[in-house]
Structure formats: C-alpha cells, structure tokens
Amino acid sequence: MALAAAIDLGGTSVKMAFVGEDGRIERKWSVPTDTSESGKNIPADIVRSLRERIAEVGADRVAGVGAGVPGAVDGGLVRRAVNIGWTGVDLGGYVERELGLPCALLNDANAAALGEMWMGEPGAGSLRDLLFVTLGTGVGGGIVIGGQALNGANSCAGEIGHIPVGGWENRVCGCGKTNCLESYGSANGLLRTAQEFAAEAGTARPGSCEEVFSRAAAGDAEMARALDVTCDILARAIGGVMCTVDVEEVVVGGGLSNAGEALMAPLAEKLDGYVFPAQRGRYRIRQAALGNDAGILGAAYQVFRTR
Amino acid sequence: MALAAAIDLGGTSVKMAFVGEDGRIERKWSVPTDTSESGKNIPADIVRSLRERIAEVGADRVAGVGAGVPGAVDGGLVRRAVNIGWTGVDLGGYVERELGLPCALLNDANAAALGEMWMGEPGAGSLRDLLFVTLGTGVGGGIVIGGQALNGANSCAGEIGHIPVGGWENRVCGCGKTNCLESYGSANGLLRTAQEFAAEAGTARPGSCEEVFSRAAAGDAEMARALDVTCDILARAIGGVMCTVDVEEVVVGGGLSNAGEALMAPLAEKLDGYVFPAQRGRYRIRQAALGNDAGILGAAYQVFRTR
C-alpha cells in the first residue's frame, strides 16, 4: 500500500508520520522546531528527517509529502507563519526539489478539517462539506467544500476566530481588531469572561477553564453564566458561518472541547437556534475525534487526493 | 456563435433571453409568472415560450438552458420556492425532456453572482471568488468560489440575510428567527430603523429609503445615524463572511445599492475595519453593474461553463 509522508508543523515540534491509504498511521515521530533565525533551519531539518525515514520504508512506497503549516499557504509557498517566524518560505518547492516527491501544503486548521472528514468517525469519509472549529488559546477554523479545503483568495478562508461579534465590552484581539470571536469564544476568552463575572460578584477568581467548568457543574451561578454567554457567542458566529457555507457537519476540537458534553450540549442547542431554519435537523455537530492526529491525517489525505 | 437560453424566474414575470458566449444578450423577452395552483403551469409556460423562440434562432445554435430560480435548488430539482408556490418541482428534468437540451438550475442570487463575475465590469471575467449581496426587501447573497456558485449541503449557502447579528431590540425575521441581518440591513430594515430614530427624536417619519438618504445628506442627524448603524451592521456581517470565505470581491446590488456612494462609501470604509487584517487592500467592493440582467447572464454563464 502506498504511503503519504505527513507533516504537522507546530511552534514547538514538527510531527511527522507515514500514513497508509486506509488512514492507518504506520509510524510517527517528531523533531524540535528550531525557531531561531526566523526558522530558517526548519525546512532542512524536515527534509533530513524525512529522507532518513523514507529510506527505511522504501522510497517507492511513498506517494508524496503533505504538510499542515500554522499560517497562510498559497500553493507551495508559506506566505506567513508568525509562530515560526516565516514570511514567504517556499517549503513546497524545497521539499519537492530535495526529495523528488510532490509536496502539498495546507493551513493547519484546514489539514485538521480534512483529517476529521476522512477519519473522524465511522462513515465520516462520506462527508464532503465540513467546518472544523478549534477552541484553544485562540479560535481557528477550517472549511471543507466538496472534499477540498477552502483556502481563500488571500489564504484567509476559515479565519472564523476573527469574525466580528457583538461583545459587552471592547476586547482587543491579537490581530489588531476589536471584539473578534476569539476574544470571547476561545479558552482564553472564556476564562477572562469568567474572571470578570467572578470579580463583579465578589466570588473567587477562577484560574483555569477546568475550574470554570467544574464550578459551573457544582452550581456556581457566575461560572454557569460565563459558560452560557461564551456558548452563545460561539453559536451565533458558527450559525452565521452555517448561513454562509451550509456544511453538513460542524466538528469542534481544541483544548476547550475536552470539556465534552458540558460544552457541546449547550453549544449544539444554541446553534440550532441560529442556523437557517431549513438547515435544522439536516446538519450534525460533534466533538473532534482525532486529537493531535487530525493534522497529520489531513495532510496525508491531501497527498492521496491530489496525486 | 453558440447561444444559451437563459431564464430568470421571478414572482411576477419569467425573463428569458438568448445570450452569446461573449455575454451579449441577443434578444430578451418575458412571460407572466402564473402563480395560480401552486405555480403548476409555470414549467409548461416556460417550455412553450422557449420552444417557439428556439425555433426562430435555430435549435442547432442553442447549447443549453440555464435558469435562476427564487429558491433552493438541488441539481435539476427546485426544493422550495416560496414566492411561486413550489415545493419539489423537477424543472430541470422537465425542460431537458421537453426541449432535448441540458438544463442547469441555480438559485437566483447565485445566478446574479455568476453574472456579475462574468460581465460585471471590464476584466471581471478574471475573478474566481466573489460575494454578491443584494439589499432589497430582504438581504440575499450568492457566493462564487473557484468560478462555481456555492450551493451548500442543504441548498442554503449564501443565505447571508439570515446571519444572526447583534441588534438593539428584537426584530422577528420572516424566517422565524430573531435579529437576522436582513431585519436591519435590508431596505425595509433601514427604513424601520430610521422611523424608530425619528420617533424617538420627535422628527418627521420618513416614508422611504430615498427620503432617509436625502434627509441624511441634508444634515438630518437621526437619518444620518440610521444610515450609519445600518452600514455598520451590514459591514460587520459581511466582514464575518470575508473571514469565512475570503473572496476577492464584494458586489452590492439590489434597490438599496441605487443610493450609490451614499451607501457604498460608508459601507466600504466600515468593512475594511471588520475584515481580517491580512485581507485589507487585497479585496475590492463595488456596486453591482448589471441590474436586472445579472441573473440572465449568470444562468447563461452556467450553461457555457457546464457544457
């Protein structure tokens, strides 16, 4: 069976794996991400590691290389990837020249979206349209339409964390705008909201999202309210995305999704009130299933899809 | 030169035309829309009229039929079109069987989007990704990605009029939800807002959007404020759409767009504040250029694209 060499390029490590056409991960390894000197050593580090492993499995078995990158990609070019210091790095071309294999690049959220579409659940492979939402430090998004990741005219498609939302105060986002979805709907956003509500009520300041969830479950009114308004803002924005792209499934991943039903149940209920009425009962929402492997699998999917 | 037989099916008339591959409209005519008996006579009326005209231009010149329909389409099927009373009408199949020509259906806003992409301005044919927004009684939307209209998993893509927005009161939308974009951003929404602001201030109640614009231009503070908040809500929602699909161009049509710069200038300025920063300076916004011909031209484009 043909293998894809799949890469998930992150700010601290570069995860790599060989993935079969059946989605099975054959082996997995990682190398540290060397962000020194604007990350200029990263491409050579990746190629060196891949070359060594490809020799081990046999070059004739490897159909191509796929990589998810934490930034904006345009063909084989990484336009910008702030966390690793890149601007205009031709990673795709470099890998192709060095390894003699086709290399497909994806934004990391798009890679995760494709991975969840491909391997996220039994029968998931039949889906063609999907929104992947990642709720972590920020809010990321990947959109798949007709089985293809939507990259956008300026490599900005799926930047749903920066959808302007109506907030009750002005929160400046890392992107420079005010009241982006991720200012309220991310793990950081939830914690900030919960801390503000606790301060207003004179109750103990929560130190983590875990604490917000556990106190809400135990009946803490402010924590429950923080969770409620956070789910409402998320559902409203995702509802708007549904009115725009009308996908079959919404998949929620990232650290906040580890709360499971405590997050997913209110989010799903609120979302149903915000989608276009003709969509009700005709889309699904679920928690992401693949965790950290989603990006690797999506990168592999892209290799098999485009060869 | 090959011709497309193009149809723009509306609630009062069915506009039809032959369109050349160069986008020139060779002739144009219309028949009344017979909405009696749940619109059951409409398909036969269309076929009768087309058959007659096709015989005049020569059947061998006609490459196919394209139709924009005011509702949700799924392949050749019209799932629902409220204004003409249709639910589950196989217009595409009927036309193909009766005329022996391929028939492509589109939602009307998608047809207009394709028309504006194809013929909306000199050089517009080079665009591949576009959002068409129509501001009339309601707010409609059509999204083109990679040269293809986005229909969605449930034929609801581009329903941007139903994006939930933060309003200052609860406005019930015709779709049953509360505070949809079109409750505030349509011509009706603007007029309602302006009337409310006038009532609060004790000034004369405006009777039309034209009056709102003319009084705002003459320095009426309430009318100016109504225009400002309407543009802000529109820009915020369109900014969210841009963060989601990242198109190259936003085209604004519909009755409200006839106000020209009085609408477009504040809308464009506000939109620039709401898009993802990496998009600034890399997308365009313009007033629609084709008026009522946009749908006809988009339907023709679809014929030539898919044959």
Side-chain angles (χ1 to χ4, degrees):
Chain A
M1 182 163 47
L3 296 175
I7 302 167
D8 181 4
L9 174 48
T12 53
S13 72
V14 186
K15 292 191 274 291
M16 288 177 269
F18 292 117
V19 180
E21 287 173 280
D22 58 357
R24 205 167 50 80
I25 295 176
E26 188 151 313
R27 65 176 76 184
K28 197 158 66 168
W29 72 99
S30 68
V31 300
T33 306
D34 178 3
T35 53
S36 69
E37 299 178 76
S38 300
K40 81 188 213 348
N41 300 316
I42 298 172
D45 290 348
I46 289 173
V47 160
R48 191 178 313 113
S49 181
L50 277 181
R51 187 178 278 136
E52 197 178 295
R53 302 290 179 130
I54 287 171
E56 288 169 24
V57 295
D60 53 330
R61 287 190 65 200
V62 181
V65 180
V69 176
V73 305
D74 187 359
L77 186 75
V78 180
R79 281 194 182 182
R80 53 187 179 276
V82 177
N83 292 345
I84 56 176
W86 285 8
T87 307
V89 172
D90 181 24
L91 179 65
Y94 177 76
V95 169
E96 292 193 350
R97 283 190 304 276
E98 291 292 318
L99 298 179
L101 287 167
C103 179
L105 298 193
L106 290 164
N107 165 268
D108 55 0
N110 282 344
L114 286 173
E116 286 285 348
M117 179 186 78
W118 188 33
M119 285 291 147
E121 59 178 340
S126 62
L127 285 176
R128 306 291 291 162
D129 301 284
L130 175 146
L131 168 68
F132 178 74
V133 183
T134 172
L135 306 177
T137 315
V139 172
I143 296 167
V144 179
I145 303 280
Q148 293 187 42
L150 185 63
N151 197 45
N154 293 302
S155 312
C156 298
E159 287 286 2
I160 70 163
H162 302 281
I163 290 176
V165 297
W168 57 86
E169 61 188 5
N170 286 331
R171 293 191 182 178
V172 177
C173 179
C175 81
K177 296 200 295 171
T178 299
N179 287 352
C180 288
L181 173 60
E182 78 174 30
S183 305
Y184 293 89
S186 62
N188 287 359
L190 168 62
L191 187 57
R192 176 169 169 183
T193 299
Q195 289 172 342
E196 288 179 4
F197 287 2
E200 284 164 21
T203 57
R205 184 178 193 271
S208 69
C209 287
E210 288 72 18
E211 186 182 338
V212 175
F213 280 105
S214 65
R215 282 169 55 180
D220 182 317
E222 280 71 39
M223 298 303 101
R225 186 161 66 93
L227 191 55
D228 185 73
V229 301
T230 301
C231 284
D232 193 66
I233 285 180
L234 278 168
R236 188 140 38 96
I238 296 171
V241 172
M242 286 295 289
C243 292
T244 305
V245 293
D246 183 24
V247 293
E248 300 167 274
E249 189 168 68
V250 178
V251 178
V252 183
L256 210 53
S257 74
N258 295 332
E261 280 305 291
L263 176 82
M264 295 302 294
L267 185 59
E269 188 191 334
K270 285 171 185 290
L271 178 58
D272 226 38
Y274 286 126
V275 297
F276 190 59
Q279 294 174 317
R280 289 192 191 125
R282 305 179 67 120
Y283 71 96
R284 293 183 301 181
I285 177 169
R286 69 167 170 88
Q287 196 178 335
L290 302 175
N292 288 334
D293 286 341
I296 286 280
L297 287 166
Y301 176 83
Q302 188 73 357
V303 169
F304 295 127
R305 200 189 68 75
T306 53
R307 74 174 164 154
Chain B
M1 179 164 47
L3 296 175
I7 301 168
D8 181 3
L9 176 47
T12 53
S13 72
V14 186
K15 292 191 273 289
M16 288 177 269
F18 292 117
V19 180
E21 287 173 280
D22 58 356
R24 205 167 49 82
I25 296 177
E26 188 152 311
R27 64 177 76 183
K28 195 159 65 168
W29 74 98
S30 68
V31 300
T33 306
D34 178 2
T35 54
S36 68
E37 299 176 75
S38 299
K40 81 187 209 0
N41 300 314
I42 298 171
D45 289 348
I46 289 173
V47 160
R48 191 178 313 114
S49 182
L50 278 181
R51 186 178 278 135
E52 199 178 293
R53 302 291 179 129
I54 288 172
E56 289 170 22
V57 296
D60 54 328
R61 287 188 66 199
V62 181
V65 180
V69 175
V73 305
D74 187 1
L77 185 75
V78 180
R79 282 194 182 182
R80 54 188 177 275
V82 178
N83 292 345
I84 56 176
W86 285 8
T87 308
V89 172
D90 181 24
L91 179 66
Y94 177 77
V95 169
E96 293 193 348
R97 283 190 303 277
E98 290 292 318
L99 297 179
L101 286 168
C103 179
L105 298 193
L106 291 164
N107 164 269
D108 56 0
N110 283 344
L114 286 172
E116 286 285 348
M117 180 186 78
W118 188 31
M119 285 291 147
E121 59 177 340
S126 62
L127 283 177
R128 306 291 293 162
D129 302 285
L130 173 146
L131 167 68
F132 178 74
V133 183
T134 170
L135 307 176
T137 314
V139 172
I143 296 167
V144 179
I145 303 281
Q148 292 187 43
L150 185 63
N151 196 47
N154 292 300
S155 312
C156 299
E159 287 286 1
I160 69 164
H162 303 281
I163 291 176
V165 296
W168 56 88
E169 61 188 3
N170 285 332
R171 294 191 183 179
V172 177
C173 179
C175 80
K177 297 198 297 171
T178 299
N179 286 353
C180 289
L181 173 61
E182 77 174 31
S183 306
Y184 293 89
S186 62
N188 287 358
L190 168 62
L191 186 58
R192 177 170 169 182
T193 299
Q195 288 171 343
E196 288 178 6
F197 288 2
E200 283 163 22
T203 58
R205 185 178 193 270
S208 69
C209 286
E210 289 72 18
E211 186 182 338
V212 175
F213 279 105
S214 65
R215 280 168 55 181
D220 182 316
E222 281 70 39
M223 298 303 101
R225 186 161 66 93
L227 191 55
D228 185 71
V229 300
T230 301
C231 284
D232 193 65
I233 285 181
L234 278 168
R236 190 142 34 98
I238 297 171
V241 172
M242 286 296 290
C243 291
T244 304
V245 293
D246 184 23
V247 293
E248 300 166 274
E249 187 166 69
V250 178
V251 178
V252 183
L256 210 55
S257 74
N258 295 332
E261 279 304 291
L263 175 82
M264 295 303 294
L267 185 59
E269 187 190 336
K270 285 171 186 290
L271 178 59
D272 226 38
Y274 286 125
V275 297
F276 191 60
Q279 294 175 317
R280 288 192 193 126
R282 303 179 69 119
Y283 71 96
R284 292 183 301 180
I285 177 169
R286 69 168 170 89
Q287 196 177 337
L290 302 175
N292 288 335
D293 287 339
I296 285 279
L297 288 165
Y301 176 83
Q302 188 73 357
V303 170
F304 295 127
R305 200 189 67 75
T306 53
R307 73 172 169 158

